[in-house]
Amino acid sequence: MALVNINLHSTPRSRIILLFGALIAAAALTGLLALASGSVPVPLREVLGIMVESAPGVNAQIVLELRLPRVISGFAVGGMLALAGVLMQILLRNPLAEPYILGVSGGASVFALLAISIGLAGIWLTLGACFGALLTMFMVFVCSGSSAGWNPLRVLLTGVVIAAGWGAVISFLLAVSPAARLHNMLFWLMGDLSFSQSGGWYYLLLLLALLPAMYYARALNVLAGGDLQAAALGVSVNRVRVITYFLASILTATAVIQAGSIGFIGLIVPHGMRLLIGADNRLLMPASVLAGGILLVFADMLARALLAPRQLPVGVLTALIGVPVFLLLLRSAGARQRS
Amino acid sequence: MLVVEQLSVQVGQTLVCREFDLNLGAGEHWGMLGGNGVGKTTLLHTLAGLRQPLGGRIMLDDKDLQDYRRQRLARKIGVLFQHSQDTFPATVMETVLTGRFPYQSFWPGRGRTDLTLADAALAQLHLASLRERQVDTLSGGERRRLAIATLLLQEPELWLLDEPTNHLDYHYQIQVLDLLSQRVRDRNGSLLMVLHDVNLISRYCTHAILMPGEGKLLCGEVAAVINRTNLENLYRHPIRALSDDGRNYYFPA
C-alpha cells in the first residue's frame, strides 16, 4: 500500500500505473522486435517459439547467441545512461547536464582508442576504457573539491574542462592512427553495441545503483530547491552530493565500457519522463531506466536493420529518434500548460 | 530556547559579530535591522546551523547545534530564505510538500496527513487555486507565499525568516506576519526575522537586534533599542518619527 501514497498530489495514481504499465509492455515488445529483426529476419512467432523452448537451428542460434545478448546489454546500457542523466542533472543543478558532461566518456574513449590503435581488442579495450573512466572520475572529484564543500558550478566547470582536454587527445589519436584502424575507432566513439558482451553483472550493477538512488530520491527532490534550502529541511547535502556523483559516474563508466559513448539518451530520456510523470525522483528514476532501455534497444534494432547487412552506429539513431520524440513531448507539455 | 555564547562570525573580510551573546526565549519575537552587507543573512544562517561560526557556540534546548542530526534539527529550526531557487519544473504542490521532508521516513512517502496539511497551508496563503501550477509561472509575491507555506509545513519551533515580506503587497505583508506570529505563539516557539521595515518590527517584535556594522550589535527590547538616534546611527541617514495612537513610526527623511 505504500506505493499508493507516492506523489498522490501531482501525478494521479491512474496515470502512474498507466505509464509504468505502458513502459513495461513497450520494453517487452521492443525486445521481441529487436530479436526478430536484423540482416536475417526471423518471424515473430518463431522468436516466441525459440524463447519458450530452445529449439536447435540456425535461426535459434542467431536469436539466442547473437541478438539476445545484444538486446540484454542494450537495455542495461540504456537504463544506466538514463539514470546517470537524471542524477547528473540534479547533481549539477543544470538541465543541460548529461552523463558524459564531466568527461568520464572522454577519458574512457582515450584509453579505449589507445588500445585499438596499438591493435589490442577484447578485454584490453574494456580494461582501457575502465581505467580512463575511473581516472577521470577521480580527477574531477579531487580537482573540484574544496574546503567549502561541493559547489555544483565548480564541479561542472572542472568536468567540462577535463572533457575538453580528453576531446583534444581523441582528435590527436584519430589524426595519427593508421587508416585501417580508423573505422573501428570511429564506431567506438559514436557508440556501438557490437563490442558489448553479454553478462548479468551490469544488471546487478544497475540494480545496485538504483537502490541507493531510490533511497536518496526524496533528498534529491529537496536538493533541487537549492543547497541551503535542502540543508535547512534536513538533508545532509554534501553526503548526498558525493554519493550521487559516484553513482552517476560509475553508471556512466559502465555504460561507456559496454558500448562507447551513445549520446542523447542521458539528456533526453530524463527530460521526457519529467514531462510525462513529473519531477518526483522516486517515480522519475525507475521510469527513466525503463525508457532509456527501450530507446536504446529500439535504436540498436534500427541500426542493425535499416541498411542490413551494414550496421549503423547506434548513437546516430538514438539521436535521430530521440530528438523528434523529445520535441513533440515538449510541444504537447507546453500546450497542456497553456490550456 | 536558543542560547548563543561568545559567537564570532566573519564572512570574507566582513566581521559580522564578535563574542556575541544572545538568549532567545520561547514566545519571543526578534527583529533584525541593519544596512546592506553587514551580514544579517550570514548571522541568520549561522544561527540556523547552516554555517560554521568562527568561534563560540550555539545551543538549542541545551544541546549544541553541531550535535544534532540534520533531520532532527530541521524539525526544530525552520528557515525562510531570501531567495528561492528552481532549476527543474515542479508544481506548487510538489514544492510545498518538501516542507514535510524532516518528518518523512524512507518509503511511506507523502501520506494523506501531509496532503491535508499542505492543502491547509496553501489555502491560508491563498494559493489553493494554484495547486497544480508550475512554480516558474508564479509571480514574485506568489512564490514568496509558497515559500512561507512550505515553512508552515515544516512546523519548526524556532522560525528564522530572511526578509519575509519581500515581494508582498501591504495586504499580504500584514496577513503573512499575522499568520506567522500566530503560528509561533501556538507552538510556544520563537521567531527571529530580518526586516528592512522598522515599523513592522515594532509592530510584531518583542526584541530587536540592530547591526550598525564592524561587528557591533545592539540588542534589547524593542522599546529600549528602537529610537530615532539608534536608527540614525544604524542607517547613517536622517530619520523622522511620527506618532499616532501612542505608537512611533519612523521613516527616512
Side-chain angles (χ1 to χ4, degrees):
Chain A
M1 283 310 285
L3 261 172
V4 175
N5 278 340
I6 285 190
N7 215 15
L8 205 58
H9 51 289
S10 66
T11 316
R13 205 170 125 201
S14 56
R15 192 179 166 88
I16 296 172
I17 294 171
L18 190 73
L19 188 87
F20 275 93
L23 282 173
I24 291 167
L29 193 69
T30 317
L32 279 180
L33 280 175
L35 289 176
S37 49
S39 47
V40 182
V42 181
L44 262 182
R45 184 175 301 178
E46 204 183 331
V47 171
L48 279 174
I50 291 168
M51 296 305 290
V52 174
E53 37 170 337
S54 41
V58 180
N59 278 356
Q61 226 171 6
I62 291 177
V63 169
L64 291 179
E65 284 172 28
L66 290 178
R67 289 182 191 162
L68 188 60
R70 198 162 163 157
V71 168
I72 288 174
S73 72
F75 195 84
V77 167
M80 286 178 182
L81 287 175
L83 181 56
V86 174
L87 294 174
M88 281 289 185
Q89 286 169 3
I90 302 165
L91 177 72
L92 300 174
R93 193 165 307 128
N94 191 323
L96 288 178
E98 43 99 26
Y100 307 140
I101 200 160
L102 297 185
V104 168
S105 74
S109 300
V110 164
F111 287 89
L113 293 192
L114 267 176
I116 297 175
S117 72
I118 55 174
L120 296 173
I123 186 74
W124 290 106
L125 205 65
T126 312
L127 285 178
C130 199
F131 174 75
L134 290 176
L135 178 72
T136 313
M137 235 169 92
F138 284 105
M139 273 167 68
V140 174
F141 186 73
V142 170
C143 295
S144 58
S146 73
S147 55
W150 247 46
N151 174 352
L153 191 62
R154 208 181 142 100
V155 180
L156 182 63
L157 286 175
T158 312
V160 166
V161 166
I162 289 178
W166 289 132
V169 180
I170 290 170
S171 303
F172 172 77
L173 285 176
L174 289 177
V176 299
S177 292
R181 299 210 166 107
L182 269 184
H183 181 78
N184 254 353
M185 295 169 90
L186 284 176
F187 248 71
W188 204 92
L189 279 179
M190 285 185 279
D192 181 24
L193 282 168
S194 58
F195 286 112
S196 61
Q197 300 104 29
S198 146
W201 68 270
Y202 37 76
Y203 274 92
L204 191 68
L205 199 132
L206 179 57
L207 193 70
L208 282 181
L210 190 58
L211 286 178
M214 288 296 285
Y215 179 77
Y216 285 111
R218 285 182 326 107
L220 292 173
N221 286 347
V222 178
L223 207 59
D227 286 6
L228 279 174
Q229 170 78 18
L233 283 170
V235 177
S236 308
V237 173
N238 268 332
R239 190 177 66 204
V240 174
R241 270 196 192 296
V242 170
I243 289 171
T244 310
Y245 171 76
F246 277 99
L247 284 179
S249 305
I250 288 169
L251 284 168
T252 310
T254 316
V256 171
I257 290 162
Q258 284 301 313
S261 356
I262 298 171
F264 280 97
I265 289 188
L267 177 66
I268 278 176
V269 170
H271 283 300
M273 290 299 112
R274 240 179 232 120
L275 292 173
L276 284 178
I277 206 166
D280 189 332
N281 286 299
R282 287 171 299 174
L283 298 171
L284 180 62
M285 294 197 294
S288 296
V289 167
L290 286 171
I294 292 167
L295 178 58
L296 187 53
V297 170
F298 189 70
D300 184 53
M301 176 184 84
L302 292 183
R304 286 183 289 118
L306 276 184
L307 294 181
R310 285 195 61 176
Q311 295 199 1
L312 298 169
V314 67
V316 173
L317 282 146
T318 50
L320 285 181
I321 304 166
V323 171
V325 168
F326 181 72
L327 289 178
L328 267 175
L329 268 178
L330 202 59
R331 257 190 95 81
S332 67
R336 213 170 40 229
Q337 221 173 74
R338 273 192 299 275
S339 65
Chain B
M1 176 173 271
L2 191 81
V3 178
V4 174
E5 292 167 358
Q6 298 290 300
L7 186 75
S8 298
V9 176
Q10 191 169 354
V11 53
Q13 294 303 308
T14 310
L15 184 65
V16 177
C17 61
R18 180 187 291 146
E19 292 166 10
F20 165 58
D21 293 312
L22 178 74
N23 196 337
L24 230 100
E28 291 176 357
H29 286 44
W30 286 71
M32 208 194 283
L33 284 166
N36 295 148
V38 296
K40 301 183 293 294
T41 297
T42 307
L43 182 56
L44 196 83
H45 290 180
T46 311
L47 295 180
L50 298 171
R51 236 190 111 89
Q52 290 293 330
L54 203 62
R57 57 181 195 160
I58 304 166
M59 312 283 287
L60 178 69
D61 294 339
D62 302 322
K63 191 170 154 187
D64 198 306
L65 276 196
Q66 319 251 355
D67 298 334
Y68 275 94
R69 284 188 45 228
R70 245 329 353 141
Q71 193 168 11
R72 185 96 199 90
L73 194 59
R75 295 179 198 177
K76 298 246 177 199
I77 302 184
V79 188
L80 180 72
F81 291 94
Q82 204 172 348
H83 308 284
S84 41
Q85 259 187 19
D86 40 46
T87 318
F88 294 104
T91 63
V92 166
M93 193 59 172
E94 280 172 335
T95 307
V96 74
L97 275 170
T98 58
R100 292 307 291 171
F101 183 83
Y103 300 94
Q104 291 164 341
S105 58
F106 164 56
W107 200 237
R110 293 154 177 174
R112 288 188 183 278
T113 38
D114 287 0
L115 284 176
T116 318
L117 285 172
D119 275 325
L122 289 181
Q124 278 180 311
L125 288 151
H126 300 274
L127 291 167
S129 60
L130 306 176
R131 201 173 184 268
E132 302 303 330
R133 275 267 291 277
Q134 292 290 324
V135 175
D136 55 8
T137 65
L138 300 183
S139 76
E142 286 165 345
R143 276 184 192 221
R144 198 66 187 146
R145 274 143 55 206
L146 175 59
I148 291 163
T150 311
L151 186 65
L152 289 183
L153 255 69
Q154 196 181 341
E155 294 184 322
E157 289 165 21
L158 173 61
W159 304 60
L160 302 174
L161 317 174
D162 201 348
E163 303 191 23
T165 53
N166 266 4
H167 302 293
L168 298 180
D169 61 31
Y170 276 160
H171 171 69
Y172 277 120
Q173 288 185 10
I174 299 305
Q175 205 227 330
V176 156
L177 289 178
D178 277 347
L179 179 65
L180 286 169
S181 35
Q182 186 58 48
R183 276 302 183 95
V184 175
R185 270 197 296 276
D186 289 348
R187 297 216 53 179
N188 194 28
S190 21
L191 175 151
L192 173 69
M193 61 181 168
V194 175
L195 272 185
H196 281 297
D197 188 331
V198 189
N199 301 315
L200 284 179
I201 287 200
S202 34
R203 177 163 172 176
Y204 285 98
C205 294
T206 54
H207 296 72
I209 302 175
L210 269 52
M211 299 178 67
E214 286 149 24
K216 283 181 292 221
L217 288 151
L218 187 61
C219 307
E221 290 189 18
V222 164
V225 290
I226 293 195
N227 55 50
R228 208 173 125 185
T229 327
N230 281 347
L231 290 174
E232 284 186 339
N233 285 335
L234 182 69
Y235 291 116
R236 293 180 192 89
H237 191 92
I239 300 281
R240 297 193 55 183
L242 285 179
S243 276
D244 184 43
D245 271 350
R247 255 223 203 91
N248 279 329
Y249 293 87
Y250 301 93
F251 57 95

